[in-house]
Amino acid sequence: MALFSKKMAAQTEVDFSRLPRHIAIIMDGNGRWAKKRGLPRTAGHAAGAETFRTIATYCKDIGLDYLTVYAFSSENWKRPEEEVGAIMGLLKKYLLEAIAQMERDRVKMEFFGDLSPLTPELRELCERTREISRHYEGCQVNICLNYGGRDELVRAARAFAQDCIDGKADPNHLTVDRFGGYLYSQGVPDPDLVIRTSGELRLSNFLLWQAAYSEFYITDVLWPDFSKEELHRAIAAYQSRDRRFGGV
Ligand code: IPE
Ligand code: IPE
Ligand code: MG
């Protein structure tokens, strides 16, 4: 028993001198969190947005280089109009606040996904956020919005094919690195750690290319309940792994 608790304690101890460079999070479980409380799903999304603020700020404070979050998938349009509308409303609120506090927070923000189906107002807010924070150094937060891994790959293939037609690229010279340059994540290192909350054991079309050698951490905790302590557990678990990348 004593040994067990000692081991548990050791597992949540984070070595802040060797953090993963890039953490990606599938922020899942907002709906279940609301249901458990007899609240509408939209209340779960509002709570989830607060958790995102807390975790993103904390990641910046501990000196993480990159945080990528799955906010809205290319498949999430299948949800009731009211729920989609509420998520977009929360996004607008978040972006307006982020813009107002940008000079203080100095977090570089990027968006991965096809923003074209968003309202012109939201698109403009994303563009403005990206533009203002372009030169910030330190932490970069990537928000995956209308993002789908398969969409991203098809879009990249299309762009590459067009470059070949235009004489700017040659199929015989395509490499893994060059192909990466056609993805939303161009210039961003692959995630070292992918966290999924609320227990689902699947990728749900998230970072299909980039997660090739990521370590996975799945927790049953629902996203609105995710905390710094949970993040510590995930990082500690990551730090106890042996990454081999196919070697020995
Ligand atoms: C994640 O929470 C947020 C989005 C997908 C936008 P869910 O809304 O998927 O919550 P569950 O999975 O239904 O509990
Ligand atoms: C993945 O969660 C997408 C986001 C967290 C934004 P989903 O709730 O959409 O995934 P599935 O439907 O359970 O696979
Ligand atoms: Mg879900």
Side-chain angles (χ1 to χ4, degrees):
M1 184 59 195
L3 186 69
F4 179 68
S5 33
K6 198 173 159 196
K7 197 172 164 208
M8 291 297 284
Q11 275 176 359
T12 58
E13 231 160 77
V14 173
D15 178 352
F16 288 97
S17 70
R18 46 179 206 99
L19 288 177
R21 197 161 172 223
H22 181 178
I23 297 179
I25 309 182
I26 303 175
M27 309 185 291
D28 197 15
N30 294 348
R32 275 162 282 178
W33 182 92
K35 194 170 173 208
K36 256 177 50 184
R37 286 165 177 73
L39 297 170
R41 291 178 59 84
T42 48
H45 295 308
E50 283 307 318
T51 304
F52 166 63
R53 273 190 194 86
T54 307
I55 294 299
T57 305
Y58 185 63
C59 284
K60 182 200 165 226
D61 291 346
I62 60 174
L64 190 80
D65 288 341
Y66 298 93
L67 172 69
T68 300
V69 293
Y70 208 1
F72 192 84
S73 80
S74 50
E75 285 73 35
N76 286 148
W77 298 104
K78 291 176 194 159
R79 296 183 178 206
E81 218 178 290
E82 190 205 334
E83 182 173 342
V84 172
I87 294 170
M88 295 302 160
L90 286 164
L91 183 72
K92 176 180 157 187
K93 182 167 171 269
Y94 173 77
L95 291 174
L96 285 169
E97 285 170 15
I99 290 170
Q101 296 172 359
M102 231 153 206
E103 272 305 313
R104 190 196 73 193
D105 292 346
R106 301 190 73 80
V107 169
K108 182 172 174 181
M109 308 244 311
E110 265 298 338
F111 298 88
F112 293 176
D114 174 12
L115 303 187
S116 63
L118 303 185
T119 61
E121 186 191 24
L122 261 180
R123 275 207 309 271
E124 196 269 325
L125 282 176
C126 292
E127 212 30 70
R128 200 151 23 114
T129 312
R130 186 185 256 155
E131 208 32 64
I132 302 173
S133 69
R134 188 179 292 269
H135 302 293
Y136 293 162
E137 278 168 22
C139 188
Q140 174 170 338
V141 174
N142 307 305
I143 300 183
C144 297
L145 202 53
N146 187 28
Y147 173 88
R150 287 180 169 179
D151 260 8
E152 179 182 36
L153 290 167
V154 168
R155 187 180 166 277
R158 207 185 286 140
F160 174 70
Q162 190 60 53
D163 277 354
C164 291
I165 292 170
D166 297 343
K168 290 189 244 163
D170 174 349
N172 296 307
H173 295 144
L174 184 61
T175 59
V176 165
D177 279 351
R178 282 195 189 141
F179 193 72
Y182 287 91
L183 301 173
Y184 292 123
S185 57
Q186 62 184 90
V188 174
D190 289 341
D192 301 293
L193 170 63
V194 174
I195 298 173
R196 181 163 191 156
T197 57
S198 83
E200 244 60 74
L201 302 176
R202 52 178 175 260
L203 265 180
S204 301
N205 208 9
F206 188 48
L207 304 181
L208 297 182
W209 173 276
Q210 298 85 345
Y213 269 104
S214 302
E215 294 295 328
F216 284 83
Y217 181 86
I218 315 271
T219 170
D220 285 335
V221 171
L222 305 171
W223 175 249
D225 291 330
F226 194 80
S227 58
K228 292 172 193 172
E229 291 69 32
E230 286 300 326
L231 183 68
H232 288 169
R233 266 184 211 107
I235 297 174
Y238 164 83
Q239 289 178 336
S240 72
R241 308 266 178 93
D242 176 21
R243 299 184 82 186
R244 290 193 289 272
F245 300 97
V248 286

